[in-house]
Amino acid sequence: MTRVFGSLACLCLCCWSASALAQQYAPVDAQSWHPDLLRHDASPVDLSFLNHKPAGLHGKLRAVADRLEFADGTPARFWGGNLAAYALFVTDAQIDVQAQRIAKLGFNLMRIHHHDSMGWVDPTVIDKSRADSRHLDLAAMDRIDYWIKALKENGVYVWLDLHVGRKFKSGDVDSEYGTIPGFAEIERADAEIKGFCYFNDPVRELMKEFNQKYLEHVNAYTQVAYKDEPAVMGLLITNENDLTHHFGNLMLADKNNPVHNAIFQARVNAFADDTGLSANQVGRTWEPGPSKIFLNDQEYQFNANLLQHLAGLGVTVPIATTNTWGNNPVFSLPALTQGGLIDAHAYGQPEALSTNPRTDYNYLNWIGAAQVAGKPLSVTEWNVPYPAIDRFTAPLYVASVAALQGWDAIMLYNYSQRSFESPSQATTWSTFPDAAITGVMPAAALLFRMGHVRQAEQTFCLQLNREQTYFTKIDPSSSAALRSLLEMHRLTVCLPNVPELSWDSATELPAGAVALTDPDRDFIPAGQDFVAADTGELRRDWVQGIQTIDTDLTQAAHGWLGGRPIELSNISITLDTAKAVLAFSSLDGLPLGTSGRVLITAVAQVAAVNNQTPFRSEPISGSLRYRGQAGLELVALGPDGSAGAALAMEYNDGTYTITLSSDLATHWLELRGEPGTIPDGGTDAGPDAGSDENPDADAGTDKLDGNTSSDANTEPSPRIVGRFGCSHHSPASSGQLLILLMAMWMFWYRSRN
């Protein structure tokens, strides 16, 4: 979870903007909204057919160039979440129910996180009763075992973190690995070793010891060690623990860590002697320049040691070393390429759909900036967290851009970090009972996992030289190219080979990719107020604050839809509700218009009055038109997936007219007729979950000169008719402000732990 460096400032902006944005919404009486439309222990839709069972059926996962595939060559793509902290240590019955629900909601991956966060979680997989942190808690490990077993049975893969929040104790100081130097300095840092571990060899060895004990542990239910379990698809060495942007300054002389400063300074001097760089410049960790080359080297040397150890244990799945998080610039990427895949974290604020990429960034730009050419990309943490008022726009936005970009594994933070009794309060980091996020997840899972959105036709590679990579601060806040390309074409980054690093190499330009050397270039045509994918399937109008998705299998619009008629290939949307998400998704793999099973998802604001459950859902009113085959009936789906009686709708000249009234107490409808072919046991992966074929490769090679412009974004693809004519002005309620203040405290508390 992103810590205090970025998250607190991000939350302050979120709270300020949410308070201001409340004025754009109609005055609300959430007490009158529909309660409990989403059950915490059931799914309104059953997408478990997407998962092959058991997880691991196709063999272990591996990275091949910039893609993931299983041992038998089956391509892999993951739509997942996080199980963290207290959610891990629950009963068999809760695990069984939630593992089934997770699969039904469309997930095929869960990350096990905060398993070792001794400061605020009890129990942890580390035995907290001991004087040291070197022993596993076997009862806690039994719960991880059972989660892996239950998830595996439901076709859900597992990502394991190795180090997140372990606290070192006095019993760790003296071991067969030597005496920990500067332990008092680690104790002053709340006994956490982030940053310190790179300059402390005994700490590094104790981390390796834990890794071995954890991964060689034999699951009591599957009888397979974690390191050998084919349902475990990836590992993370250390969470949010980079030197290049966050923890490098910890070793400076003014940080009152003299023992670690002495080790740091000795390495600075040795690196300067070896490379001919100025020792003074190498040690200036707070600014771009030679220091970033040095810090990348320190990360690399540390991770080389741990990766070699993991390989010696027999680990073969892709491993991420640490993550980009909290606004890491491009100079953080070189050391991360050492892992089998690169991992990114990003958290969003309200109104992401209204972000103008010419001048500003949103959370997806930070993920896009981490996509190094030739490496798979995972996202182990993303969220637009409660109580963000329009968080319901996030799942389809993330899924559609991830599919366009060809990202490989996407994980929401969190599915839960609390236990699974019926919740009495809404919390920031547990989405499982929140219809605003979880209610849209089935539509997002279908889109991403089934390849409803095609990968971009053209790939661009930001090809950076030594000075651009290490001596400047290039990131989405400063680079128009990183901002503007993300929703138009496939975006990758190519890194240089520099003489000071013996281990790096220049990133190879992907076949067919356009090389781009100017990070300041804006790719959006002059005068245009929308960004559109080169496939013609995605379009986001930042003035109107609307994204549309128009494909054969998913057609959707979300954002400020009220008063704006939306026309897509098979659907028309006219809503009175100011802001909402409306999606039509094929369930049988047949194109909309001919499909015999179509899921309709409709979600607007979801609130917890005074932060207390039940969650209450804003009624949605308006009308929908769907151009499809005759003979369909419309049913409302209940929170447990049960279908109600057929609802009235009109059918004339090949078009169904569906009226959404404020008394319709569901987020999910289904159009049903003659059944199409439901894919049986998906590949968890590719553009066609029933196929083992790879997507078509890009073709053709170009070199970009400074004056070439993009043609794909000059035509308005889906048709958005009219402008927003509604006027909603009301101050934020005291309840909303209370929730926001509570969330700020939660962020602060969470960032400390």
Side-chain angles (χ1 to χ4, degrees):
M1 178 51 229
T2 305
R3 301 224 175 223
V4 68
F5 301 97
S7 61
L8 187 55
C10 182
L11 179 70
C12 292
L13 175 61
C14 179
C15 291
W16 172 84
S17 59
S19 177
L21 285 167
Q23 301 179 42
Q24 295 183 246
Y25 294 82
V28 302
D29 175 17
Q31 285 285 11
S32 67
W33 291 356
H34 301 303
D36 277 335
L37 295 193
L38 178 73
R39 277 180 46 175
H40 73 285
D41 58 356
S43 174
V45 183
D46 186 356
L47 299 184
S48 60
F49 66 85
L50 295 178
N51 293 359
H52 60 243
K53 302 178 184 70
L57 180 67
H58 295 286
K60 285 191 176 183
L61 192 72
R62 62 192 181 195
V64 179
D66 64 350
R67 288 289 179 266
L68 298 176
E69 68 176 31
F70 296 109
D72 66 359
T74 301
R77 176 180 285 180
F78 298 95
W79 183 253
N82 278 248
L83 293 164
Y86 292 98
L88 298 173
F89 307 110
V90 296
T91 66
D92 288 5
Q94 288 184 337
I95 292 172
D96 286 333
V97 167
Q98 293 300 325
Q100 292 176 34
R101 183 180 189 255
I102 284 165
K104 289 181 177 181
L105 287 166
F107 295 109
N108 66 335
L109 174 62
M110 284 286 140
R111 175 194 186 205
I112 304 298
H113 186 57
H114 281 308
H115 59 302
D116 66 342
S117 292
M118 300 162 63
W120 63 281
V121 181
D122 191 24
T124 68
V125 299
I126 294 173
D127 187 346
K128 295 172 66 174
S129 69
R130 304 267 190 161
D132 59 35
S133 64
R134 299 177 63 186
H135 294 81
L136 297 179
D137 183 319
L138 297 182
M141 288 297 296
D142 182 80
R143 298 298 77 207
I144 306 298
D145 288 351
Y146 199 82
W147 266 116
I148 293 173
K149 172 257 188 190
L151 292 169
K152 179 179 181 178
E153 288 175 349
N154 284 278
V156 180
Y157 284 80
V158 173
W159 171 295
L160 293 177
D161 289 357
L162 297 176
H163 167 251
V164 180
R166 175 185 181 182
K167 289 184 180 293
F168 278 59
K169 304 171 79 171
S170 59
D172 298 319
V173 174
D174 292 307
S175 72
E176 59 268 38
Y177 309 114
T179 299
I180 295 177
F183 184 71
E185 298 168 9
I186 294 173
E187 283 189 306
R188 286 198 301 270
D190 206 20
E192 291 204 15
I193 49 83
K194 291 190 176 183
F196 294 114
C197 62
Y198 294 101
F199 298 93
N200 197 310
D201 291 350
V203 165
R204 181 196 65 210
E205 295 305 305
L206 287 168
M207 292 175 71
K208 289 161 59 177
E209 178 188 71
F210 171 83
N211 295 350
Q212 182 165 355
K213 290 179 178 179
Y214 193 51
L215 295 174
E216 290 185 343
H217 168 78
V218 176
N219 189 313
Y221 302 96
T222 66
Q223 303 305 312
V224 179
Y226 290 0
K227 69 183 180 66
D228 299 320
E229 173 57 69
V232 171
M233 55 72 67
L235 304 177
L236 173 68
I237 288 178
T238 179
N239 186 62
E240 294 186 346
N241 183 14
D242 66 279
L243 288 176
T244 55
H245 188 56
H246 290 100
F247 292 104
N249 293 349
L250 195 60
M251 313 307 149
L252 296 177
D254 64 347
K255 297 302 185 289
N256 194 30
N257 295 314
V259 174
H260 287 89
N261 172 254
I263 299 170
F264 165 81
Q265 195 58 54
R267 294 193 191 178
V268 164
N269 293 335
F271 189 78
D273 289 343
D274 289 344
T275 61
L277 295 171
S278 160
N280 178 58
Q281 293 296 315
V282 169
R284 295 173 68 87
T285 59
W286 62 92
E287 63 185 18
S291 69
K292 302 306 177 184
I293 301 176
F294 166 70
L295 292 174
N296 270 281
D297 188 64
Q298 294 303 296
E299 275 193 39
Y300 177 91
Q301 301 302 337
F302 172 86
N303 287 316
N305 191 298
L306 270 74
L307 287 167
Q308 183 180 26
H309 179 251
L310 291 170
L313 299 179
V315 173
T316 62
V317 295
I319 301 170
T321 55
T322 189
N323 339 83
T324 65
W325 65 286
N327 302 351
N328 283 80
V330 167
F331 58 57
S332 295
L333 293 177
L336 299 182
T337 63
Q338 185 181 17
L341 75 177
I342 291 180
D343 187 56
H345 293 176
Y347 290 86
Q349 298 84 44
E351 297 303 302
L353 299 184
S354 297
T355 302
N356 179 351
R358 293 188 188 282
T359 58
D360 204 0
Y361 58 85
N362 65 37
Y363 61 107
L364 292 187
N365 295 120
W366 294 97
I367 301 174
Q371 176 67 82
V372 175
K375 303 292 290 190
L377 180 71
S378 62
V379 181
T380 51
E381 295 182 21
W382 76 267
N383 202 345
V384 179
Y386 173 88
I389 196 168
D390 68 347
R391 61 194 184 279
F392 54 85
T393 64
L396 280 176
Y397 186 41
V398 171
S400 61
V401 174
L404 179 76
Q405 290 297 322
W407 298 338
D408 300 281
I410 314 297
M411 287 158 266
L412 173 71
Y413 189 94
N414 278 311
Y415 181 76
S416 184
Q417 71 175 32
R418 61 192 289 179
S419 60
F420 293 99
E421 297 86 5
S422 181
S424 60
Q425 288 188 316
T427 60
T428 302
W429 303 120
S430 293
T431 64
F432 75 99
D434 182 4
I437 293 288
T438 302
V440 190
M441 279 297 179
L446 283 164
L447 183 155
F448 182 73
R449 293 184 57 194
M450 300 291 283
H452 289 190
V453 168
R454 292 184 289 121
Q455 184 172 303
E457 295 176 357
Q458 180 65 71
T459 297
F460 284 76
C461 188
L462 182 58
Q463 201 167 45
L464 301 175
N465 59 33
R466 176 179 179 271
E467 286 66 35
Q468 290 171 314
T469 302
Y470 295 102
F471 289 75
T472 57
K473 183 174 176 287
I474 294 176
D475 62 34
S477 71
S478 62
S479 170
L482 291 176
R483 295 192 303 268
S484 61
L485 278 170
L486 183 71
E487 295 173 71
M488 296 169 59
H489 308 289
R490 187 160 193 248
L491 170 64
T492 62
V493 177
C494 287
L495 299 170
N497 178 24
V498 299
E500 296 88 355
L501 299 176
S502 62
W503 46 265
D504 72 337
S505 59
T507 307
E508 184 177 345
L509 186 69
V514 177
L516 167 68
T517 58
D518 180 7
D520 297 325
R521 179 170 170 199
D522 178 2
F523 279 78
I524 303 169
Q528 185 170 293
D529 58 6
F530 65 88
V531 61
D534 62 13
T535 60
E537 294 180 337
L538 305 180
R539 183 183 192 271
R540 181 170 66 85
D541 184 319
W542 62 80
V543 174
Q544 295 185 348
I546 293 175
Q547 187 203 32
T548 54
I549 302 167
D550 195 355
T551 79
D552 288 344
L553 297 166
T554 289
Q555 293 173 29
H558 56 155
W560 291 103
L561 304 182
R564 290 185 174 114
I566 307 292
E567 291 289 338
L568 302 173
S569 295
N570 292 90
I571 67 173
S572 304
I573 303 169
T574 305
L575 293 188
D576 302 316
T577 308
K579 194 167 195 178
V581 54
L582 210 298
F584 283 63
S585 310
S586 171
L587 287 168
D588 59 12
L590 298 177
L592 295 173
T594 60
S595 174
R597 289 194 63 194
V598 178
L599 173 67
I600 303 174
T601 303
V603 180
Q605 293 183 67
V606 178
V609 178
N610 296 323
N611 217 38
Q612 301 297 306
T613 58
F615 280 100
R616 295 180 178 271
S617 297
E618 179 184 15
I620 297 177
S621 61
S623 66
L624 312 174
R625 286 181 295 143
Y626 172 68
R627 293 171 284 280
Q629 63 175 336
L632 301 179
E633 68 173 8
L634 179 69
V635 296
L637 301 179
D640 61 354
S642 60
L647 302 175
M649 61 178 175
E650 297 179 2
Y651 186 68
N652 292 300
D653 297 326
T655 299
Y656 293 90
T657 299
I658 302 168
T659 299
L660 300 178
S661 61
S662 59
D663 60 354
L664 184 63
T666 185
H667 290 299
W668 310 276
L669 304 169
E670 187 176 331
L671 287 165
R672 295 179 174 178
E674 291 298 322
T677 303
I678 296 177
D680 182 17
T683 65
D684 294 301
D688 177 357
S691 166
D692 290 344
E693 295 180 3
N694 285 306
D696 293 337
D698 291 335
T701 304
D702 284 303
K703 186 75 173 177
L704 179 71
D705 66 46
N707 298 315
T708 306
S709 64
S710 170
D711 297 327
N713 285 264
T714 59
E715 297 181 6
S717 177
R719 296 162 299 287
I720 302 177
V721 182
R723 307 293 288 182
F724 189 45
C726 302
S727 178
H728 302 295
H729 298 285
S730 67
S733 69
S734 59
Q736 288 171 317
L737 292 176
L738 176 62
I739 290 172
L740 292 170
L741 290 171
M742 290 178 67
M744 178 178 284
W745 178 86
M746 291 167 69
F747 257 99
W748 172 82
Y749 178 81
R750 178 66 180 76
S751 69
R752 295 177 66 249
N753 295 282

